[in-house]
Amino acid sequence: MQELHDAPLAPLTTFRLGGPATRLITATTDAEVIAAVREADGAATPLLLIGGGSNLVIGDKGFEGTALRIATDGFRLDGTELELAAGEVWTDAVARTVEAGLAGVECLAGIPGSAGATPIQNVGAYGQEVSSTISEVIAYDRRTQETVTLSNAECAFSYRHSRFKADPERFVVLRVRFRLEDAQGLSGPVKYAETARALGVGPGDRVPLAAARETVLKLRAGKGMVLDPEDHDTWSAGSFFTNPILADEEFAAFRARVSERLGEGTEPPAYAAGEGHTKTSAAWLIDKAGFTKGYGTGPARISTKHTLALTNRGGATTEDLLALAREVVAGVRDAFGVTLVNEPVTVGVSL
């Protein structure tokens, strides 16, 4: 277990932003993770958990407390049952499941971060969410001070949300178990229209696993959503805002604002999101509110490839990024009456 003091945290995040931590511990086993958490809790020291750093916005002043970097490894496949250590690199794990001929997470290729973060955010993209394949999550319960196994139902998954995200001070994810599908080398049914078009198939069709993964990687790369240290469009947290889910009355008011602003007959994106609710597109809202690709003049700007990504063009501070995020939130609210919610976790700062 490695320990550093006054340790820079910016290099541990995909934004490359944020000040130092009072202390940084890197744990490579579950036992080390638990020991570090128990020590911090016993001393009432603030604790920040860091995996791949792809979903963190850390304030310029840094973090006064213990930052725990979870760098555990472990990939165990038994038939269609997969267990990943929390520190496993997610993109590598997806590649290995595709090589093994198992379906269920192939459309989640290219998403940066660690396996342990996936249940927290209920990571999803291109028609798949991890909640569809996670069978159990093994976690350390800071309240009871014991290791627990939570079933899929006990994780309380919803859109980009979970029990872990709702109560962030309680659980530390140690391992994640998945139940994948052996579809004879084929993917799961293709659900996302953009993916289906790129593959030349219809929604619900299956394609070779490798083709599904490679297509998603190309789509993500075209939007600056695959990490590349030379491409500042990838110095981001991916999608900075979640897609708004509106109740029927809210969506009706939103449609009226769209017609008023963009003209009669203009229809916003709309997707079923459970009884009485409709999901719309945050990227569409941002673009139509006037924040186009590449928007901004400072070191923090909207990606030149995708309006949903806020980026560090080099030399930005966290305050630069937050100023841009606040401008986008205010602009969308003024234009359409919809308040965007940030997807990344903020540390020491807020919108």
Side-chain angles (χ1 to χ4, degrees):
M1 188 158 57
Q2 183 187 69
E3 181 174 332
L4 299 172
H5 294 267
D6 196 27
L9 295 180
L12 301 182
T13 75
T14 52
F15 266 124
R16 295 165 172 80
L17 296 176
T22 307
R23 182 172 71 149
L24 171 64
I25 292 175
T26 298
T28 58
T29 68
D30 290 354
E32 289 180 353
V33 171
I34 293 170
V37 173
R38 283 179 172 165
E39 180 193 18
D41 288 349
T45 302
L47 181 66
L48 170 64
L49 303 176
I50 301 177
S54 61
N55 203 43
L56 279 179
V57 178
I58 299 173
D60 293 317
K61 292 182 179 179
F63 182 72
E64 291 189 15
T66 296
L68 173 58
R69 179 171 171 260
I70 299 176
T72 54
D73 60 16
F75 180 103
R76 186 172 64 84
L77 191 59
D78 182 9
T80 59
E81 306 295 316
L82 171 67
E83 181 179 287
L84 296 177
E88 279 288 324
V89 176
W90 176 250
T91 54
D92 294 347
V94 171
R96 292 178 70 176
T97 66
V98 170
E99 290 171 3
L102 297 177
V105 294
E106 62 279 0
C107 290
L108 303 180
I111 295 177
S114 61
T118 61
I120 297 171
Q121 190 74 5
N122 186 16
V123 164
Y126 295 99
Q128 289 183 339
E129 287 183 330
V130 292
S131 58
S132 298
T133 53
I134 288 177
S135 56
E136 295 177 328
V137 174
I138 301 170
Y140 175 68
D141 187 336
R142 297 168 68 182
R143 185 177 301 169
T144 64
Q145 299 184 27
E146 58 187 6
T147 300
V148 296
T149 299
L150 302 172
S151 68
N152 182 290
E154 289 173 318
C155 293
F157 290 120
S158 59
Y159 174 65
R160 301 297 173 271
H161 201 69
S162 69
R163 181 178 183 180
F164 311 106
K165 191 172 181 179
D167 192 359
E169 301 299 319
R170 181 167 180 182
F171 296 103
V172 179
V173 175
L174 301 174
R175 296 185 173 266
V176 188
R177 291 172 177 161
F178 299 83
R179 184 170 293 115
L180 304 176
E181 178 188 7
D182 184 352
Q184 305 301 308
L186 296 179
S187 69
V190 177
K191 298 178 181 178
Y192 200 69
E194 183 183 17
T195 315
R197 286 194 300 271
L199 286 162
V201 299
D205 289 348
R206 293 177 184 261
V207 298
L209 277 165
R213 175 178 174 270
E214 289 164 9
T215 297
V216 166
L217 286 173
K218 288 178 182 176
L219 290 172
R220 290 186 64 85
K223 299 173 183 178
M225 298 290 186
V226 177
L227 293 181
D228 178 353
E230 302 302 317
D231 182 359
H232 281 277
D233 278 330
T234 73
W235 290 31
S236 74
S239 299
F240 196 87
F241 300 103
T242 57
N243 290 321
I245 296 178
L246 306 176
D248 286 344
E249 288 185 5
E250 294 173 319
F251 190 75
F254 166 53
R255 285 182 68 194
R257 293 284 287 270
V258 169
S259 294
E260 179 183 326
R261 182 179 178 88
L262 302 178
E264 290 291 336
T266 304
E267 288 293 334
Y271 311 95
E275 186 175 355
H277 291 83
T278 301
K279 181 167 66 176
T280 192
S281 165
W284 186 92
L285 284 164
I286 293 167
D287 181 71
K288 299 303 181 185
F291 303 100
T292 53
K293 295 175 184 176
Y295 177 88
T297 57
R301 304 177 200 170
I302 290 178
S303 166
T304 66
K305 300 181 180 72
H306 200 294
T307 55
L308 203 48
L310 307 188
T311 68
N312 172 10
R313 311 312 296 184
T317 65
T318 300
E319 278 306 311
D320 292 330
L321 176 76
L322 294 176
L324 175 62
R326 291 170 186 138
E327 183 183 1
V328 171
V329 170
V332 168
R333 185 191 299 117
D334 290 346
F336 300 112
V338 175
T339 300
L340 295 177
V341 176
N342 54 290
E343 187 167 328
V345 176
T346 54
V347 178
V349 292
S350 63
L351 292 189

